Structure formats: C-alpha cells, structure tokens
C-alpha cells in the first residue's frame, strides 16, 4: 500500500509540474539648479519643468533584490533568480479561449516588461512548490498593466488553454485583496486533474505593484488551498520599494 501511494504522488507531481510550466523577474532623478530672480526686463518662464523619468530596474538589479536561500529556511536549494529563455527559443501555445482572461497570464508572467527574473521555491513541506516573478517597467507602464489585470479579474471566471501536457480547463476565483505594496490582488486557478492524481490542481496567485515593478507570487497544491508565505511577500515587496526613487 505504501508503494502504491508513492507511485500515485509521483504521478500527480509529474502531471502538475507539466501544467505548472505551461502557465507559464537605483537610478536617481536629476536635480535642477537654482536660478537667479528675473530682472525688471526679464519675464519669468511660465512653462513648468518636465518631471524627470525614472529608469526601470535592470535584470542585474532584480537578481540582486530577489530573495536569498538564507532568507527562506522553508525552501530547499537552489534559489537562484533566472532570466526567461530568449524569445522564440521556447515552445509556444495557442491563445486561451477567452481573450479577456489573457492579462491574467501575461501580467503574472511579466510579459511586455523592461526586465524580469523568475525564482522557483522547492518547499520542504510541499513538493509542488511555489514561484515568484519580478518585473520592471518603463514609467507608467506598471500602473497600466496592473489596471488591465484588475479589469480581467472583474470578468474572467473560466477559460481553456493548452500546456505542455495538453489541453486544460481553468476556473478563476478571486480572493480578498491583500495589503502589500501600492496595489495588490489575489486569485486562484483550479484545474481538474481527476481522482487518480489526488484532486484538482490549485494554484494561488498574489500580484503586487510597487512603483514601476510588478511582483507575482504563486503557491501550487493538489486538492487544497495553500498560500505563499506572506512574510516572504512583505520582505520582497519592501526590497523592491526601497530600490526605487520615492
């Protein structure tokens, strides 16, 4: 009986990891020098000074800001932050069945960002594990992308797609907005896996905008609700906030 349970766990983990892969990382402002007061024959300039743009964080900066293994005692090594594969080198999949649901996938994966890195967390108490994506954007783009995500969550409840192990059907459920960063949302995607695999694939997503960055944290489980450790989210978001000009 013990051997049969071990084989079942390995089968479920293999199927889930395949789908998991399918759903799928400090500049300073210029200071203007003071000018002399205008003379009687000089007219003061009426045009307001343009706000200096803030350069987005680079891949190297995001990697340096990512969590380190000594900060995550509940995870096994390695915990390196990595860049995505070069565009065009990985396998591509057709669009999901509901276009309004697409931002749920694009934003959490850091698509259209200036730079991004990924981390995978191999938890000691959960073999399914978790992950994080840290993405930086040009000025104003993070707010726009996050607004797209919130609009998608307001309408998207179900969609179908295709992953490494074949077609899947996902149900989306929203959770109470968490208190992280400047904006945050939390939702789950449930994918039926069948009794032979131990239950439904259940993945939590917590997406947080902080300045010009968007961080996504995921926790994967089978047949139950698990949560990405909130203390790690707080630490990572605070680090991103401190790395950007206020």
């Amino acid at each position: 009986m013990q051997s049969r349970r071990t084989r079942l766990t390995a089968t479920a983990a293999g199927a889930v990891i395949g789908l998991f892969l399918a759903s799928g990382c400090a500049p300073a402002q210029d200071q203007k020098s003071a000018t002399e007061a205008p003379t009687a024959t000089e007219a003061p300039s009426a045009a307001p000074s343009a706000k200096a743009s803030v350069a987005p964080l680079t891949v190297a900066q995001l990697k340096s800001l990512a969590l380190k293994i000594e900060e995550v005692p509940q995870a096994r090594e390695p915990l390196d932050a990595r860049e995505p594969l070069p565009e065009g080198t990985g396998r591509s999949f057709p669009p999901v069945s509901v276009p309004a649901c697409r931002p749920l996938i694009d934003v959490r994966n850091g698509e259209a960002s200036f730079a991004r890195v990924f981390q995978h967390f191999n938890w000691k108490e959960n073999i399914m594990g978790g992950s994080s994506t840290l993405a930086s954007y040009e000025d104003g783009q993070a707010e726009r992308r996050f607004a797209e995500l919130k609009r998608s969550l307001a309408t998207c409840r179900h969609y179908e797609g295709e992953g490494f192990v074949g077609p899947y059907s996902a149900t989306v459920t929203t959770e109470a907005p968490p208190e992280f960063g400047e904006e945050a949302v939390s939702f789950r995607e449930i994918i039926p896996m069948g009794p032979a695999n131990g239950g439904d694939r259940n993945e939590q997503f917590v997406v947080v905008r902080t300045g010009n960055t968007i961080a996504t944290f995921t926790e994967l489980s089978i047949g139950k609700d698990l949560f990405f450790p909130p203390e790690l989210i707080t630490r990572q978001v605070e680090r991103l906030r401190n790395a950007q000009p206020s």
Side-chain angles (χ1 to χ4, degrees):
M1 181 62 72
Q2 178 64 33
S3 175
R4 185 171 183 272
R5 283 199 300 268
T6 301
R7 289 197 299 271
L8 266 179
T9 300
T11 301
V16 169
I17 289 173
L19 277 174
F20 177 58
L21 292 174
S23 49
C25 236
Q29 292 179 323
D30 294 334
Q31 293 183 344
K32 292 184 177 292
S33 58
T35 58
E36 296 180 353
T39 64
T41 58
E42 294 177 331
S45 175
S49 60
K51 179 183 178 182
S53 62
V54 177
L57 297 175
T58 65
V59 166
Q61 288 174 308
L62 291 175
K63 284 184 175 181
S64 70
L65 296 169
L67 296 171
K68 308 301 184 289
I69 187 62
E70 62 270 15
E71 300 174 304
V72 192
Q74 57 269 63
R76 296 187 178 92
E77 295 189 53
L79 199 62
D80 298 332
R82 302 179 180 181
E83 299 176 58
L85 293 173
E87 188 174 354
T89 60
R91 183 177 172 186
S92 61
F93 300 98
V96 296
S97 61
V98 181
C101 296
R102 186 69 205 181
L104 270 63
I105 300 171
D106 288 348
V107 176
R108 73 189 185 216
N109 287 339
E111 299 291 343
S113 60
F114 175 83
R116 54 178 166 160
V117 298
F118 304 91
Q119 279 186 292
H120 295 291
F121 299 85
N122 183 15
W123 304 123
K124 297 175 181 178
E125 301 298 330
N126 175 22
I127 63 172
M128 299 303 166
S131 69
S132 69
T133 301
L134 310 181
S136 65
Y137 295 82
E138 302 279 359
D139 263 354
Q141 293 303 304
E143 293 96 323
R144 184 180 66 81
R145 295 295 282 170
F146 205 87
E148 293 174 1
L149 173 63
K150 290 194 291 187
R151 285 194 297 269
S152 182
L153 279 175
T155 59
C156 179
R157 293 295 174 263
H158 179 84
Y159 69 87
E160 296 176 353
E162 183 178 334
F164 286 101
V165 297
Y168 65 91
S169 177
T171 297
V172 180
T173 61
T174 57
E175 299 179 325
E179 295 183 359
F180 299 114
E182 296 173 43
E183 298 182 274
V185 295
S186 179
F187 61 98
R188 291 183 181 272
E189 291 192 0
I190 312 297
I191 298 176
M193 298 292 292
N197 290 312
D200 294 341
R201 177 184 186 274
N202 184 328
E203 188 166 13
Q204 182 207 31
F205 296 89
V206 178
V207 189
V208 184
R209 184 184 71 80
T210 305
N212 289 333
T213 65
I214 294 178
T216 301
F217 307 88
T218 75
E219 184 72 4
L220 183 61
S221 58
I222 294 293
K224 55 186 175 181
D225 292 347
L226 294 182
F227 301 83
F228 194 96
E231 68 276 9
L232 297 183
I233 298 178
T234 298
R235 181 176 296 170
Q236 182 65 87
V237 170
E238 183 72 7
R239 192 169 292 171
L240 291 172
R241 184 186 68 81
N242 292 336
Q244 301 176 78
S246 57

